[in-house]
Amino acid sequence: MERCTHGLDTTWCYLCRVDESGAPHAAWGLEDPPEGWEFREEPMGEAQAKYLRFLCEEFGYSFEPDLAAGEADVLIESFLDEPMTERQAHTLELLAREAGQDVPAALTYAEARQRIRVLVTRRALRFSA
Ligand SMILES: [Zn+2]
C-alpha cells in the first residue's frame, strides 16, 4: 500500500481529494449556502464552480460549467444529502480506529465529512502535542 502525506492509502484518501480540489474550504463545507438563501441568478463564482466540480467528481456526475449560482446551490445541497462515499467510509474508518472510536454505518456525505474534519483536527493536535 502506498501511503500519502496523511498516512493513509493514496488510492482512497479523502483528505487528499479535498486538498486536490483546489477549493479546500468549500470542500470541507465551510462555505455551504446558508439556510434560507434566495435563488441566485448570477453565474457561479470560481470557488463555487470548483466546489461543484469536486462534488460531481465524487459522485461520478459530469460537471456543467454554465449553471447559475442558484442552480449550483441546489445541486450542492442535494449532493450533501447523499450517502457517504466509499472514499469517505475508508478514511473515516481509519481515523476513527486511530482515535479509538466506533464507526457509524450510515452517514450522509455531509455528516461523514464533518466527522472526518473533527477527527483530522484532533489528530493534528495530538501529533503536534
Ligand atoms: Zn491523503
Side-chain angles (χ1 to χ4, degrees), residues 53-101:
R53 182 192 291 274
F54 167 77
L55 288 173
C56 285
E57 286 170 3
E58 285 283 281
F59 291 98
Y61 285 84
S62 60
F63 168 73
E64 287 179 45
D66 299 328
L67 297 179
E71 292 172 310
D73 285 340
V74 172
L75 261 177
I76 287 168
E77 287 223 330
S78 71
F79 280 134
L80 298 180
D81 288 334
E82 290 284 313
M84 66 177 160
T85 62
E86 205 156 314
R87 198 186 289 276
Q88 283 186 315
H90 277 304
T91 301
L92 188 54
E93 189 188 329
L94 260 273
L95 293 176
R97 205 187 293 159
E98 265 184 22
Q101 292 182 7

Side-chain angles (χ1 to χ4, degrees), residues 33-48:
E35 295 285 333
W37 43 265
E38 290 184 11
F39 190 85
R40 301 185 294 143
E41 305 275 353
E42 70 271 19
M44 287 186 281
E46 195 185 336
Q48 192 187 26

Side-chain angles (χ1 to χ4, degrees), residues 101-114:
Q101 292 182 7
D102 291 333
V103 186
L107 295 177
T108 65
Y109 186 86
E111 288 166 344
R113 183 180 62 180
Q114 201 200 349

Side-chain angles (χ1 to χ4, degrees), residues 4-58:
C4 65
T5 54
H6 306 105
L8 304 175
D9 189 332
T10 48
T11 54
W12 49 255
C13 179
Y14 180 69
L15 312 178
C16 285
R17 275 286 295 132
V18 170
D19 288 347
E20 287 160 10
S21 73
H25 278 271
W28 279 125
L30 303 175
E31 290 167 15
D32 282 341
E35 295 285 333
W37 43 265
E38 290 184 11
F39 190 85
R40 301 185 294 143
E41 305 275 353
E42 70 271 19
M44 287 186 281
E46 195 185 336
Q48 192 187 26
K50 276 187 184 164
Y51 183 24
L52 183 59
R53 182 192 291 274
F54 167 77
L55 288 173
C56 285
E57 286 170 3
E58 285 283 281

